[in-house]
Amino acid sequence: MINLKASLSILLLTLLTVGVSTADSNIGPLFGYTGGNNGPEKWGNLNPSYSTCKTGKNQSPVDIVKSQVARSRTFKSLTRIYNPCNATLINNGFNVGIHVESDAGVMVVDGKNYTLEQMHWHSPSEHRLNGVQYPMELHLVHKAGDGSTSVVGILYQYGSPDPFLAKIKDELEELAKETCAENEEAHIGLGTMDLKLLQKQTRKFFRYVGSFTTPPCSEPVVWNVLARVRNVAKDQVEALKAPLSAEYKNNSRPLQPLNGRRVELYAEVD
Ligand SMILES: *[C@@H]1O[C@H](CO)[C@@H](O)[C@H](O)[C@H]1NC(C)=O
Ligand SMILES: *[C@@H]1O[C@H](CO)[C@@H](O)[C@H](O)[C@H]1NC(C)=O
Ligand SMILES: *[C@@H]1O[C@H](CO)[C@@H](O)[C@H](O)[C@H]1NC(C)=O
């Protein structure tokens, strides 16, 4: 999750200031997942604007240990009212996602409206439940009028096909055929998307305050990780990885320490 325009200009600025020649190399995004010079342990050193990745005390993802979560006394529902909206499928180099172009609707958290801005997939999952890492995680990124961010994380295990990914199968194949020249994003129009499949009633979820899981790792982000793990077919996960280069096919940030943070469980009934 990152503002791409900002990150590209930061990238350019960095290249100018350190004088790296880009003439003959296809530079990837600055950060990577495979270790080496730009792996997750080094993100905070890659750019001054990424320093929170190293110094932040409220970083994501985390392992959600069910025996240690605090059950909230009051149930606050996670209301999401999504609209059909125009959307674009995007490969930004480090993940595949969907940006919404028109009013996609809101999530209401503690009486505050957060508008859905974009969603993207990570594989394998970033959050874990009781130490279990799942094959895939979807992040639905919402922003409120005051700039604050709240993300819904949905975990997927291998099983029957995910109906939402089934709808964009052809476009994902098309995206995989596009070669991104010069580190540009690849875009495929999706027309009008019905997001209802993503807004199923949420009776149980975990909430904690964390960060973006990609540089600049900004805090705070109000995380809502749904307790119910959904199903995805293996070939759907492969289709999401296909457009990405080898370094980004596995794009899951390692677990971050809780540093005393509390994860709260919101459950309607038990
Ligand atoms: C989607 O875009 C088309 C073409 O630009 C436009 O006619 C249509 O009204 C848009 N739909 C929504 C829901 O914004
Ligand atoms: C929040 O969103 C809901 C659903 O769209 C809407 O009815 C309500 O008026 C919004 N509230 C504010 C303060 O914008
Ligand atoms: C991604 O992770 C899986 C499971 O750990 C591993 O089998 C695979 O080789 C990795 N792929 C890449 C491109 O690193």
Side-chain angles (χ1 to χ4, degrees):
M1 290 163 306
I2 184 168
N3 178 328
L4 194 90
K5 273 187 198 127
S7 68
L8 285 181
S9 48
I10 288 163
L11 183 63
L12 284 175
L13 204 70
T14 312
L15 293 171
L16 289 174
T17 45
V18 301
V20 174
S21 163
T22 59
D24 55 359
S25 61
N26 182 8
I27 51 154
L30 263 177
F31 67 94
Y33 288 92
T34 52
N37 290 332
N38 68 348
E41 311 307 322
K42 305 281 171 61
W43 288 356
N45 302 330
L46 294 173
N47 188 294
S49 70
Y50 294 177
S51 62
T52 309
C53 301
K54 180 173 61 177
T55 59
K57 293 284 179 276
N58 300 300
Q59 291 288 288
S60 294
V62 299
D63 183 19
I64 296 168
V65 180
K66 290 181 187 170
S67 62
Q68 286 166 20
V69 303
R71 176 145 188 179
S72 171
R73 282 165 203 276
T74 50
F75 174 71
K76 297 178 199 162
S77 69
L78 191 63
T79 307
R80 293 185 288 145
I81 308 155
Y82 294 154
N83 306 319
C85 68
N86 280 337
T88 308
L89 184 67
I90 289 180
N91 172 8
N92 62 21
F94 51 90
N95 62 41
V96 170
I98 292 177
H99 286 198
V100 300
E101 316 294 345
S102 58
D103 177 21
V106 295
M107 168 166 72
V108 187
V109 176
D110 291 345
K112 184 162 156 182
N113 281 10
Y114 292 77
T115 303
L116 178 65
E117 290 209 322
Q118 52 108 332
M119 68 191 83
H120 59 267
W121 290 269
H122 291 269
S123 177
S125 76
E126 299 202 295
H127 289 95
R128 301 185 194 200
L129 294 181
N130 285 345
V132 176
Q133 187 172 34
Y134 290 89
M136 184 177 95
E137 180 169 344
L138 170 62
H139 289 164
L140 295 149
V141 183
H142 306 74
K143 254 203 165 72
D146 62 6
S148 50
T149 306
S150 187
V151 182
V152 172
I154 307 179
L155 302 166
Y156 292 80
Q157 64 196 357
Y158 287 136
S160 54
D162 170 46
F164 186 74
L165 280 174
K167 284 194 177 184
I168 58 167
K169 181 174 187 286
D170 293 346
E171 288 85 355
L172 275 171
E173 276 171 20
E174 210 180 314
L175 191 68
K177 287 182 201 135
E178 298 231 337
T179 41
C180 310
E182 295 296 311
N183 197 40
E184 275 174 15
E185 289 185 327
H187 295 228
I188 308 269
L190 292 170
T192 304
M193 288 289 293
D194 184 359
L195 303 177
K196 289 271 182 281
L197 287 169
L198 297 174
Q199 92 171 33
K200 281 184 194 154
Q201 260 206 323
T202 304
R203 297 180 188 281
K204 200 167 172 185
F205 61 95
F206 302 100
R207 178 172 293 159
Y208 77 98
V209 177
S211 72
F212 287 150
T213 62
T214 52
C217 308
S218 316
E219 302 172 354
V221 169
V222 177
W223 276 95
N224 310 277
V225 178
L226 306 193
R228 195 177 135 238
V229 176
R230 295 192 186 179
N231 290 318
V232 64
K234 206 162 188 176
D235 63 335
Q236 292 183 308
V237 177
E238 293 308 317
L240 279 172
K241 289 179 188 273
L244 300 168
S245 66
E247 178 162 20
Y248 300 95
K249 286 191 191 294
N250 287 343
N251 52 12
S252 171
R253 188 186 192 194
L255 291 174
Q256 304 296 307
L258 271 173
N259 294 324
R261 280 176 290 170
R262 285 199 339 157
V263 179
E264 284 197 299
L265 166 67
Y266 289 87
E268 192 171 29
V269 282
D270 217 348

